[in-house]
Amino acid sequence: MCLYFTATFAQQTIYVDKSGVMRWSDSKKEASFYGVNYTLPFAHAYRQVKDHKAAIDKDVYHFSRLGFNAYRIHIWDVEITDSIGRLQQNEHLDLLDYLISRVQQRGIRVLITCMTNFGNGYPERNEPTGGFSYLYDKCDVHKNPKAIAAQETYIKQLLTHVNPYTGKAYKEDPAIVGFEINNEPCHAGDPLDTKKYIGTMVAAIRSTGNKKPIFYNVSHNREHVSAYYDSDIQGTTYQWYPIGLVAGHTRKGNFLPYVDQYNIPFSNEKGFATKAKAIYEFDPADITYSYMYPAMTRTFRSQGFQWITQFAYDPIDIAAYNTEYQTHYLNLAYTPRKALSMKIAAAVAKEVKRGEQFPAYPADTVFGNFRVSYQEDLSLLNNPQQYFYSNNTTVQPIAPSQLTTIAGYGNSPVVKYEGTGAYFLDKLENGVWRLELMPDAIQVADPFARPAPNKEVVTIAWNKWPMQLQLPDLGTHFIVRNLHSERDTIAEKGAFNITPGVYLLMKEDTRRWSAATEWEHIKLGEFVAPPAQLKQFEVVHTPLAAADSGQNISITADIAGPSFPDSVILQTDHVSFWSDHNPYIRLERRHGYTYQGTIPATMVRSENLKYTITVYSNGNSYTFPQKEAGAPLDWNFTVTQYFETAITDANILDGEMEYYSLSERSFIQAAPYKEQPYAATVQQYTMHVKDDNARFFWRKNINSNQQLQATKFLCLFIPATTLTALNIGFITTDGYTYSQQISLNNDQHIYKIPIAALAQDSTALLPRPYPAFMNQYFIPKTNIDFNIYKIETLNISTSDKVPDNASIDIGAIWLE
């Protein structure tokens, strides 16, 4: 087995000093770790993947390409123990051993959470395994004497277990940074019992001769915080899910205000300052954006966190379906922009100093060599040697002639590329670069909706695209050598056609570098990518919910298939096989897989626009949304499904309303009961108050073709309510809230709020973030004037104390 880590790596270990700082044993310098959780040896991923070790090899290679130096796993103890805690030598343990050895070979360190104390089923049902955790409730396992005895047995055997792939026991393996006792413990009752439990576990770990730091989760069970910090642990662990979990759909909006601060309310607790701080899990869940990871990592570093691991990286063999964790989605091949954002965040963890402070949002969107932007959906690293970007950018590299590594997606001043996969350019020497190009990832369904193992959410296509480079030391005329086939092409004016793979780009021919050459934890010829999965055409298009009558309607669709279409035609439901004059719109490819066109107002003949999109290729036709072979004007084809948009004279703010409570236990129930006006369904909302000062919110993403120039009023139809007041307004693309309080009474049904009266307000962070002690509001420190062209979300909230069972009926919402 070829090990890529150096002797220095093998000898270094981590210790925690008296100030709670993780340091390297040899240099005494501060350590900083960034990476992911990855759970393939256990549970759902284990059951779904067929060739486990091959899959591990593929994913760990990508970890290296993304610059990770940290890996964390919470072990499913139910899959490697018996009923009294004895360690079982089975395939799960073997795969864990193998995985630990493989990440070491890439220079990646490991933090092991010894127990999860829950079942192995999610997202399916639990399977019986005989493991001790199945015998106890999650909140009983830490206090039941038999359960504690089983845990002692298990932990001792786990730490003394010798990994056959490294030849070292876990307690002695220098690549294992430390051990977290358990994952998200549930402690109830007396904090003294919690302290006793932790002491028992620490004693079991110490009895093995382990000298590595021991960590414990402190972000759960806040009433037990004093017990955590009074225990003989060296590190504490936290999580962060700033926009909640399991929305069931993709969330939209600017969430940068949500990650401006990570305030720990118990930071003055005795012992707090002497414990190292680690983020065991974090993720901005339920989004496909690529701007969040560096912003979160900056905030983590400002709070002094030295270990930061996202939850969770999807195994490449099942990432097309996102079945492992519906609310999370990350994989280099399938979510290339998010993965590149993680690569940039890994650099943030390395470059931003522990405890470094930053101004409040929006001033903190540019920090050091980094930039994040919601409007551009962009993460950017730009320093003299590195130029990384997660999306199209026009920002010039600050020192093009000094660049040694580039990673990106789309177009930049250095790379022009229409494909939808990530690419990596690494300088091997002057005039020689390695290019790694991933295949195209195309989203074909909402990745955060209910998953199924046969429902693709992202598909992969291998296509040849033109690429053009502007690298000073390569010039405009250079050799492009495929490292697998050894075939050469010549770039002219810096441009060449390319398919996914790995290449040498050379100003002059050289045989110094080959596919077998080892370089920075990889071999130059290594390449991991899924095969092409598109067997038929896919049209990804979301119609406008509503549009103004008399206005042209812009149409955008992503269209991909086994080849490029010959043509793409849009037709309304007002076509007939028997007519010689059937209007249509031709959608033209603008870039990549994106096609656009405009439906003129003259083609809109009813209050409900219905249309189809037909793809023509090689003499065949395929019509969407019903996704069947044939075209609307074929005599033997019947259209049964349409894309639909409501046409109205009013600027209706259509779309579903989401509702929330900023309270642990209070909630809203909703029930539709009639239609008034503009055919909008009225929803009756009943508020169940379980906590003092509960506050309730309603939000609606604005998805329409609004004409905003002359807008003066925001209007609501409220036919009945027991509330006396509401705050009503908008959240803009800046992430700022603007609102106006109105008084309510049952004699008035239509309320008109002057747009000019909206004032800057605090933004409620909804859905409620985890951990529960996080801030519930973002309070702006910088004034930004309201701009109606930036409106993105309708925001309604209660303003006074709400009585239990209060209700409000909300119908149409429109602009005048």
Side-chain angles (χ1 to χ4, degrees), residues 546-549 551 648-654 678 704-711 713-715 813-816:
D548 298 339
S549 61
Q551 301 292 328
T648 176
D649 290 329
N651 284 344
I652 297 293
L653 301 183
D654 211 338
Y678 303 117
S704 60
N705 201 35
Q706 304 300 328
Q707 304 300 311
L708 301 173
Q709 295 91 331
T711 299
F713 298 97
L714 168 61
C715 307
I813 304 171
W814 68 97
L815 298 174
E816 286 187 2

Side-chain angles (χ1 to χ4, degrees), residues 779-799:
I779 301 174
K781 295 183 179 179
T782 302
N783 182 67
I784 299 177
D785 292 336
F786 177 68
N787 183 343
I788 195 169
Y789 295 102
K790 290 185 175 182
I791 63 173
E792 188 168 48
T793 303
L794 176 75
N795 188 72
I796 303 173
S797 67
T798 56
S799 54

Side-chain angles (χ1 to χ4, degrees), residues 373-393:
S373 170
Y374 164 63
Q375 283 79 4
E376 299 170 57
D377 188 14
L378 175 69
S379 300
L380 177 72
L381 165 58
N382 191 1
N383 66 34
Q385 289 76 42
Q386 299 170 301
Y387 183 55
F388 303 162
Y389 45 94
S390 66
N391 209 345
N392 299 310
T393 183

Side-chain angles (χ1 to χ4, degrees), residues 571-641:
Q571 293 170 300
T572 71
D573 59 335
H574 294 286
V575 297
S576 170
F577 169 76
W578 304 104
S579 173
D580 294 329
H581 303 285
N582 288 298
Y584 66 90
I585 298 299
R586 186 183 298 273
L587 302 185
E588 302 289 352
R589 191 174 74 86
R590 300 303 181 195
H591 58 83
Y593 298 96
T594 300
Y595 288 71
Q596 293 178 334
T598 300
I599 302 175
T602 54
M603 278 183 62
V604 181
R605 301 180 184 178
S606 66
E607 294 181 353
N608 189 27
L609 171 65
K610 297 181 178 182
Y611 58 94
T612 58
I613 295 175
T614 302
V615 177
Y616 294 86
S617 177
N618 296 322
N620 298 311
S621 56
Y622 309 88
T623 296
F624 296 82
Q626 67 193 69
K627 202 174 178 178
E628 290 184 8
L633 294 180
D634 294 345
W635 73 270
N636 59 347
F637 185 84
T638 301
V639 178
T640 59
Q641 299 177 41

